Amino acid sequence: MCEFCTKHGEGKKWYEVMGNYSRELLARDNREDYIKKLIPNIQREVAFKLGALDRLKVKMPYAYRFVRKIGTRTMKRYHFGQVVPLEDARKIIELADSITRLPCVCRMAARGRKNARYCLALGIDPAGIFGDYPELKSSLETLTVEQAGELLGQFDKEGLVHSVWTFKTPFIGGICNCDHDCMAYRAQVTADLMQIMFRAEYVAWIDPEKCTGCQSCRKLCNFGAIEYSSAGDKCYIHPLKCYGCGLCRNTCSTEAITLLDRQGLPGLEGVW
Amino acid sequence: MRMPVVKIDHSRCVDSRECGKCLGICPVLTTYPEGPPFKEGVGWRISPTFVSLCTGCGECARLCPESAISVDE
């Protein structure tokens, strides 16, 4: 159970709580205005704020550590994410009021792609929010739970990591399907600037009895968590590197990979 | 630690999203709107954001059709 589960989870995982998707929550604390400002301005924020943090990291390491801490604390209050495996992502779309497919703002910032429609907005009304931005509005598409479930499966096969995102925590407003063009991934994993998302509530584990050492799972891991030993002809998952997204299971022909509950595994307390 | 300096001539690089050659190969670069976002006539500028990841390989400068990027080690 992560920090958010303790605070907002009511004894369950925080993203399984119906109240965290509710309209009442969305209507409170100026959330709609916040979303309206955040999404169209995210590219500028990335270019300026993350860029400045990156330069600070090299030039003034001590000041950087302080800013990193404050930054993560602020992000936890406003816009934080958590990786979820496919099964959990499918449960989540059933809890939401509405599902809208929209173009990914990260891929726009990272690759200049205008119409990479990889994000699912939950419960919020993007047509209203993007009203002033015809470019974003034109490609919105409302999905049913079945369509969204199918789409998530397709993204999973493509090798994209699912994650839930809050807009002023604990309101959950979207599921992202990301690879390394994601700004959160780039800031947290590639550049290691600050923490912007939690790992999943799970850790993958390879059953050495079933593993044939084919290494096909290694290609799918976005976090470089799978290691191979030629002496034993087996693959191993590094539990401290694993984000628990569960993508590695897709290609395993012997079904040797399962997701274990992160909670209670020795040595993983506080590894998020 | 010395970092490579990536310089971008914005007068030559007009709309980075239309071309996007440098963005396609480099994790350092990102693009952002130079004015209010998603309005017509607003250009998208390249920004060397994650400079700590830059190895100074110069591939972005080599690929740029307008020679708008220069990399100094």
Side-chain angles (χ1 to χ4, degrees):
Chain A
M1 294 277 164
C2 65
E3 191 187 321
F4 283 2
C5 295
T6 347
K7 274 190 199 157
H8 313 291
E10 299 167 9
K12 291 187 274 188
K13 293 187 183 95
W14 69 290
Y15 52 77
E16 286 174 354
V17 177
M18 195 89 179
N20 290 343
Y21 302 86
S22 69
R23 267 168 207 219
E24 294 77 58
L25 198 59
L26 177 62
R28 259 189 275 155
D29 301 331
N30 266 339
R31 274 204 177 78
E32 285 191 66
D33 279 349
Y34 172 70
I35 301 172
K36 222 176 211 173
K37 280 204 192 98
L38 177 79
I39 294 184
N41 288 308
I42 210 156
Q43 292 94 355
R44 291 180 77 87
E45 298 250 318
V46 164
F48 295 127
K49 290 192 182 163
L50 284 179
L53 190 62
D54 189 78
R55 285 188 289 277
L56 190 69
K57 185 182 179 182
V58 178
K59 287 184 183 141
M60 302 166 76
Y62 288 103
Y64 155 74
R65 276 191 225 170
F66 178 70
V67 178
R68 177 185 169 123
K69 246 185 214 163
I70 303 281
T72 297
R73 198 185 297 167
T74 317
M75 288 300 281
K76 274 182 187 164
R77 274 174 53 202
Y78 289 96
H79 188 53
F80 213 70
Q82 182 171 29
V83 173
V84 288
L86 180 62
E87 311 83 286
D88 284 19
R90 285 198 167 133
K91 274 188 220 160
I92 287 164
I93 51 174
E94 280 173 25
L95 294 173
D97 270 350
S98 66
I99 306 158
T100 319
R101 188 175 177 185
L102 69 157
C104 168
V105 286
C106 290
R107 285 174 176 89
M108 203 181 293
R111 297 287 184 217
R113 286 273 305 278
K114 286 180 195 174
N115 222 345
R117 300 191 308 139
Y118 285 103
C119 299
L120 302 178
L122 304 176
I124 53 181
D125 164 33
I129 287 169
F130 296 157
D132 302 340
Y133 310 104
E135 190 188 310
L136 288 178
K137 208 182 165 189
S138 59
S139 55
L140 299 177
E141 183 188 350
T142 313
L143 302 178
T144 62
V145 174
E146 289 76 36
Q147 284 172 321
E150 208 172 294
L151 198 62
L152 284 173
Q154 207 180 306
F155 289 153
D156 208 71
K157 285 215 179 74
E158 274 181 45
L160 303 176
V161 179
H162 318 286
S163 53
V164 284
W165 287 88
T166 67
F167 294 93
K168 286 198 176 176
T169 315
F171 177 77
I172 297 171
I175 294 190
C176 289
N177 300 285
C178 306
D179 50 18
H180 80 152
D181 292 337
C182 169
M183 281 303 141
Y185 181 93
R186 217 170 261 189
Q188 178 167 333
V189 185
T190 318
D192 189 22
L193 287 181
M194 61 193 266
Q195 193 180 19
I196 302 177
M197 59 184 174
F198 286 130
R199 294 165 192 228
E201 303 286 332
Y202 310 91
V203 174
W205 173 71
I206 298 178
D207 186 348
E209 302 273 299
K210 289 184 189 164
C211 179
T212 57
C214 73
Q215 303 185 55
S216 56
C217 52
R218 291 182 78 190
K219 289 180 207 136
L220 280 176
C221 187
N222 274 312
F223 303 99
I226 305 182
E227 289 152 10
Y228 172 72
S229 144
S230 68
D233 196 21
K234 305 259 179 249
C235 284
Y236 300 93
I237 288 172
H238 196 308
L240 295 176
K241 288 184 189 165
C242 178
Y243 270 63
C245 65
L247 289 183
C248 45
R249 296 171 299 174
N250 285 346
T251 157
C252 188
S253 52
T254 53
E255 292 181 8
I257 310 179
T258 42
L259 288 183
L260 307 177
D261 229 322
R262 182 178 286 271
Q263 199 184 17
L265 286 176
L268 288 184
E269 299 96 14
V271 178
W272 289 103
Chain B
M1 196 172 102
R2 259 181 67 78
M3 282 197 292
V5 180
V6 184
K7 279 196 191 117
I8 289 145
D9 182 352
H10 293 297
S11 61
R12 288 193 194 167
C13 172
V14 181
D15 195 338
S16 56
R17 287 198 304 176
E18 290 302 331
C19 161
K21 286 206 171 79
C22 54
L23 291 169
I25 50 126
C26 184
V28 174
L29 304 170
T30 63
T31 178
Y32 67 94
E34 58 185 329
F38 307 115
K39 298 282 184 218
E40 263 181 51
V42 172
W44 284 65
R45 284 186 169 182
I46 296 285
S47 138
T49 306
F50 301 103
V51 190
S52 64
L53 298 176
C54 183
T55 58
C57 69
E59 192 74 352
C60 49
R62 201 179 62 77
L63 273 177
C64 184
E66 302 291 334
S67 318
I69 310 180
S70 65
V71 182
D72 297 328
E73 284 217 45

